[in-house]
Amino acid sequence: MSDDILGTAAAWAAEGEQVALATVVETWGSSPRPAGSMLAVTASGRMAGSVSGGCIEGAVADVAKQAMQDGKPQLLDFGISDERAWEVGLACGGKLKVFVEKLG
């Protein structure tokens, strides 16, 4: 699946889109997606892939758009002890770290 997301991201970049890539780098407990799962996001709002089965995609997409603007990668930490995780819907008891970076 990762190859498909990378291929999609590369195709979008070739079309002139700004693209950011989010990758699950660590999981603990009952996380919705395994490490290595990816989400590609464009500045125009296109998305492919998943880092959480939907529960934190919106928050990750917001950070991806910020990374496209300022070029700074970020490591996001979501988990049951994190109040932000409850806000974005990750109340399943798991934890995950997602690395977000601008492509190109």
Side-chain angles (χ1 to χ4, degrees), residues 2 6 42 44 57 72 87:
S2 296
L6 291 174
T42 69
S44 66
E57 255 75 7
K72 296 177 183 172
E87 285 176 30

Side-chain angles (χ1 to χ4, degrees), residues 39-67:
L39 173 69
V41 181
T42 69
S44 66
R46 294 158 91 179
M47 297 195 330
S50 176
V51 291
S52 72
C55 57
I56 62 169
E57 255 75 7
V60 171
D62 288 345
V63 172
K65 289 180 181 181
Q66 181 182 338

Side-chain angles (χ1 to χ4, degrees), residues 6-86:
L6 291 174
T8 299
W12 288 342
E15 293 170 9
E17 286 264 27
Q18 281 193 342
V19 183
L21 190 64
T23 306
V24 176
V25 294
E26 185 179 333
T27 64
W28 177 86
S30 177
S31 64
R33 302 280 295 145
S37 298
M38 294 180 166
L39 173 69
V41 181
T42 69
S44 66
R46 294 158 91 179
M47 297 195 330
S50 176
V51 291
S52 72
C55 57
I56 62 169
E57 255 75 7
V60 171
D62 288 345
V63 172
K65 289 180 181 181
Q66 181 182 338
M68 283 181 260
Q69 291 175 355
D70 63 23
K72 296 177 183 172
Q74 289 194 46
L75 182 62
L76 309 178
D77 198 347
F78 294 98
I80 193 126
S81 60
D82 183 355
E83 288 180 21
R84 178 102 172 113
W86 289 97

